[in-house]
C-alpha cells in the first residue's frame, strides 16, 4: 500500500505548501543543510516529503523570498547563510524558536535593550490620552493575570510593550512590535516560568506608566531598562530555558525533535 502523507490533501494547496515550507525552514535553521550546500535534488526531496514537485517548488519560492534559499540555473537550490535571512519574518521567528531557541532569546534581549528604552523616551514625550489608557489597560490585565502567569499574563505583557512602542508615535516602531511578537512571546514565556516572576515584574511596568504620565523620558527609559535586565536574569534561571530541566541531559532540541549539541 502506498505511503499516506501530506499528498492526501493536495486539494488544500496553501496548507500543503506551508507544511512543506515549515519542514524545510526548520531543517535549515537546525543546520541539516549547511549554508552554501544544495538541497537534495527536486525529485528525491519531493518523494521524501510525499508531495508533488509543484508543491515543493512553491514552498522553495517562499523560502527564497525570506532570504533562506537561492535558486540558480545549473547550481540548483542552495542554502543561504543566516546573515541573509529575514529575521523579522514571522515564519523565520517560529523556526528559530524551534531550532535555535537560545539564539532567539539572546537576539530578542539585545534588540529590546537597543529599542525599548528610546521608545519609552518617545512615549514620555509624545503619548496622548489614548496611548496612556492603552498602557494602563494592559497593566491592569497583567495585574489580574499575575496570580496565574500562563497565557493570559504573557498576552497582557505583550500588549503592554506593543502599546509602549505605539505610544511614541513612530509608525516604524509600532510595526516592529508587531513583527517581533513571536520573539517577545517566546521570551516572556520563558522569563515568567520561575515562581513569583510575574508578580516581580509588575513594579517595573507600573514605573513605566508613571514616568509616561509624568512626561519624564529619563525615568521611562530607566524603568524599561530595569524590566529588560530583570527578564534577562529570570531567563537565566528559568526551568523553561533551552537546556533546562525540560531537556534533562542538558541538550537543546533541534527543529525536528532531535537533539542538538549542548
Amino acid at each position: 500500500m502506498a505511503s499516506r502523507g501530506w499528498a492526501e490533501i493536495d486539494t488544500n494547496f496553501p496548507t500543503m505548501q506551508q507544511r512543506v515550507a515549515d519542514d524545510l525552514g526548520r531543517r535549515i535553521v537546525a543546520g541539516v543543510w549547511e549554508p552554501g550546500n544544495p538541497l537534495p535534488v527536486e525529485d528525491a526531496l519531493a518523494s521524501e516529503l510525499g508531495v508533488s514537485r509543484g508543491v515543493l517548488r512553491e514552498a522553495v519560492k517562499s523560502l527564497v523570498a525570506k532570504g533562506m534559499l537561492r535558486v540558480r540555473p545549473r547550481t540548483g537550490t542552495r542554502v543561504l547563510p543566516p546573515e541573509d535571512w529575514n529575521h523579522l519574518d514571522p515564519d523565520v521567528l517560529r523556526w528559530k524558536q524551534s531550532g535555535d531557541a537560545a539564539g532567539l532569546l539572546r537576539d530578542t534581549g539585545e534588540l529590546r535593550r537597543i529599542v525599548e528604552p528610546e521608545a519609552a523616551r518617545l512615549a514620555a514625550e509624545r503619548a496622548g490620552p489614548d496611548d496612556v489608557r492603552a498602557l494602563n489597560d494592559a497593566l491592569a490585565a497583567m495585574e489580574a493575570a499575575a496570580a496565574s502567569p500562563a497565557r493570559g499574563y504573557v498576552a497582557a505583557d505583550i500588549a503592554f510593550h506593543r502599546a509602549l512602542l505605539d505610544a511614541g508615535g513612530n509608525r516604524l516602531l509600532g510595526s516592529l512590535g508587531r513583527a517581533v511578537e513571536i520573539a517577545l512571546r517566546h521570551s516572556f514565556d520563558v522569563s515568567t516560568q520561575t515562581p513569583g516572576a510575574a508578580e516581580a515584574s509588575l513594579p517595573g511596568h507600573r514605573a513605566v506608566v508613571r514616568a509616561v504620565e509624568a512626561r519624564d523620558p529619563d525615568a521611562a527609559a530607566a524603568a524599561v531598562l530595569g524590566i529588560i535586565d530583570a527578564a534577562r536574569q529570570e531567563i537565566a534561571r528559568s526551568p523553561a530555558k533551552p537546556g533546562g530541566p525540560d531537556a534533562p541531559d542538558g541538550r537543546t532540541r533541534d527543529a525536528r525533535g532531535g537533539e542538538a549539541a549542548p
Side-chain angles (χ1 to χ4, degrees):
M1 183 176 179
S3 173
R4 301 178 64 191
W6 295 339
E8 290 181 312
I9 53 173
D10 272 332
T11 54
N12 192 352
F13 187 82
T15 300
M16 185 71 107
Q17 175 188 327
Q18 184 60 54
R19 289 185 181 184
V20 175
D22 280 346
D23 189 304
L24 299 180
R26 289 191 177 99
R27 294 195 203 188
I28 292 170
V29 169
V32 173
W33 300 301
E34 295 291 334
N37 288 352
L39 262 60
V41 295
E42 185 177 86
D43 285 344
L45 189 54
S47 177
E48 176 192 340
L49 297 173
V51 299
S52 68
R53 288 185 296 174
V55 170
L56 177 60
R57 287 171 185 168
E58 291 302 315
V60 166
K61 284 181 184 178
S62 72
L63 295 179
V64 169
K66 299 176 193 301
M68 302 182 80
L69 294 175
R70 175 178 293 155
V71 180
R72 291 283 173 83
R74 293 185 297 276
T75 61
T77 302
R78 293 186 179 270
V79 177
L80 292 176
E83 291 77 13
D84 290 338
W85 303 353
N86 178 5
H87 290 277
L88 296 181
D89 183 280
D91 289 331
V92 177
L93 288 171
R94 285 194 300 106
W95 299 332
K96 286 189 68 177
Q97 181 178 346
S98 295
D100 185 18
L104 181 58
L105 287 170
R106 181 197 64 237
D107 291 349
T108 302
E110 291 174 353
L111 180 65
R112 293 185 67 196
R113 286 185 65 88
I114 293 167
V115 171
E116 285 196 75
E118 293 308 312
R121 288 181 184 277
L122 286 179
E125 294 169 355
R126 301 176 178 175
D130 289 343
D131 298 313
V132 174
R133 187 177 305 112
L135 285 169
N136 275 303
D137 287 347
L139 177 60
M142 291 174 66
E143 290 170 338
S148 180
R151 255 342 197 204
Y153 184 86
V154 169
D157 202 355
I158 289 172
F160 182 95
H161 289 273
R162 283 185 51 177
L164 184 64
L165 293 175
D166 286 334
N170 183 305
R171 292 191 177 96
L172 292 179
L173 283 176
S175 295
L176 177 63
R178 288 182 284 279
V180 301
E181 181 171 331
I182 290 172
L184 288 177
R185 184 176 300 279
H186 175 55
S187 178
F188 295 172
D189 277 339
V190 175
S191 66
T192 56
Q193 288 298 308
T194 53
E199 292 91 336
S201 77
L202 292 175
H205 289 81
R206 294 186 188 113
V208 171
V209 176
R210 288 196 301 270
V212 171
E213 291 175 329
R215 301 293 187 187
D216 188 337
D218 289 342
V224 167
L225 193 58
I227 291 171
I228 295 168
D229 286 342
R232 178 179 54 81
Q233 295 172 13
E234 291 294 349
I235 287 170
R237 64 193 185 100
S238 172
K241 72 179 183 297
D246 54 333
D249 55 4
R251 296 174 180 263
T252 57
R253 302 292 168 179
D254 71 17
R256 304 178 68 188
E259 292 174 347

